[in-house]
Structures are given as structure tokens and as C-alpha cells.
Amino acid sequence: MRVGIGYDLHKLKKGRKLLLGGVAIPHTHGLSGHSDGDVLIHAVVDALLGALGQGDIGEHFPDTDARWKGSDSRVFAKKALALLRKQKLKISNIDATLVAEAPKLLPYKPKMKKNLAKIFGVRPNLVNIKAKTNEKTGSIGQGEAMACLAIVGLNG
Ligand code: MG
């Protein structure tokens, strides 16, 4: 059995589309970044790369590379899944914690779970998504950013 941990944070920008786990969520702000800013997919990809012993998302998709500008984060997941297949391993589970002050993410959890399962090619019951606020403190609590932590387990 192998596990990997992932963490990501993106700044919120007014008028940008908010994507979490590939799900569009209505909000005044969206996540900025070189790609589409999907902090949930990025954290899970990093956790998967970690479990595979394959470095991090920045090594595979440098933000200095114009190829990944505005990139759909599902592309990153696809590449990480190709590395997973190469090692003949399978995802046993995905657990992620989103940290965001607003909007309330509870109503979107089932959709994010379903979509994340589809993106990473696993059954929805192997995916768990948690959402917390930062108790109004710090950059996340002040609505300047969103973060995500994730763990991916693998088995042979
Ligand atoms: Mg990122």
C-alpha cells in the first residue's frame, strides 16, 4: 500500500469562473492561476504524484510553460493517471479537504465527488470531500484565497 499527500492554494479573483473538482460553482470570485486554478484537482494530482514517487505538479506542468496557460486541470489528472498505469497500481481512495470561507460548498459536495471520481477513474464511494472555513482568519478567512489538502491511497 502507498499513500501520497497534496496541498494547493490559489488566490481568488473577482469575475473569474470558480471551478472545484471540475464543477462550476456560482460565486463572485474564481481561482486565479496559470491554469484554470482548480485547487481541488491540483491537490489530488499532487497527492497521486506523491504516492507514485513522481515529484510534484510543478515539475510536470511548469507555470512558465505557455502550454499550460489556461489549461483544463483534467489534463494534469490524465498525465498523472498515465504514470499510475505505468506502475500497474490502482487508486484505493481519495480524501480531500477544501478550505474556503465562501461560498458554502456543502450543496456542491455530491457533484464534486461524482466528478472527481470520473476524472480519476474510480467509483464515487472511493472519494471523500470535506469542506471547512478558516474561521474568518488569515488570507483564506478573509476571502483572498482557497486551499485544498488531499490524500491518495494506492494499491497493487
Ligand atoms: Mg495549483
Side-chain angles (χ1 to χ4, degrees), residues 8-10 42:
D8 197 25
L9 178 145
H10 280 257
H42 294 184

Side-chain angles (χ1 to χ4, degrees), residues 7-10 32-33 35 37-39 41-43 46 57 73 76:
Y7 169 79
D8 197 25
L9 178 145
H10 280 257
S32 63
S35 68
D38 195 320
V39 78
I41 294 181
H42 294 184
D46 247 353
I57 199 167
S73 292
F76 307 156

Side-chain angles (χ1 to χ4, degrees), residues 3-130:
V3 289
I5 187 167
Y7 169 79
D8 197 25
L9 178 145
H10 280 257
K11 279 196 236 170
L12 282 158
K13 200 174 164 190
K14 203 175 171 142
R16 233 176 108 98
K17 191 174 174 184
L18 177 61
L19 282 173
L20 291 173
V23 176
I25 294 172
H27 192 43
T28 52
H29 292 61
L31 296 167
S32 63
H34 192 67
S35 68
D36 64 12
D38 195 320
V39 78
L40 175 54
I41 294 181
H42 294 184
V44 174
V45 168
D46 247 353
L48 178 53
L49 290 172
L52 291 169
Q54 291 287 332
D56 64 42
I57 199 167
E59 290 172 37
H60 293 272
F61 311 99
D63 61 8
T64 48
D65 191 330
R67 259 187 308 168
W68 314 118
K69 192 165 166 51
S71 197
D72 182 332
S73 292
R74 285 175 295 191
V75 172
F76 307 156
K78 260 186 205 150
K79 184 161 178 199
L81 288 169
L83 294 169
L84 174 77
R85 279 191 294 273
K86 225 184 239 176
Q87 294 196 24
K88 295 185 168 51
L89 293 164
K90 275 199 169 95
I91 293 173
S92 61
N93 72 304
I94 296 172
D95 186 23
T97 301
L98 280 158
V99 193
E101 208 63 28
K104 279 269 165 274
L105 296 175
L106 182 67
Y108 304 102
K109 275 159 113 183
K111 212 169 169 187
M112 287 192 282
K113 179 180 164 133
K114 214 175 137 190
N115 215 43
L116 209 60
K118 196 175 142 197
I119 291 166
F120 288 91
V122 296
R123 293 192 308 276
N125 67 325
L126 300 179
V127 178
N128 188 68
I129 294 172
K130 305 184 293 297

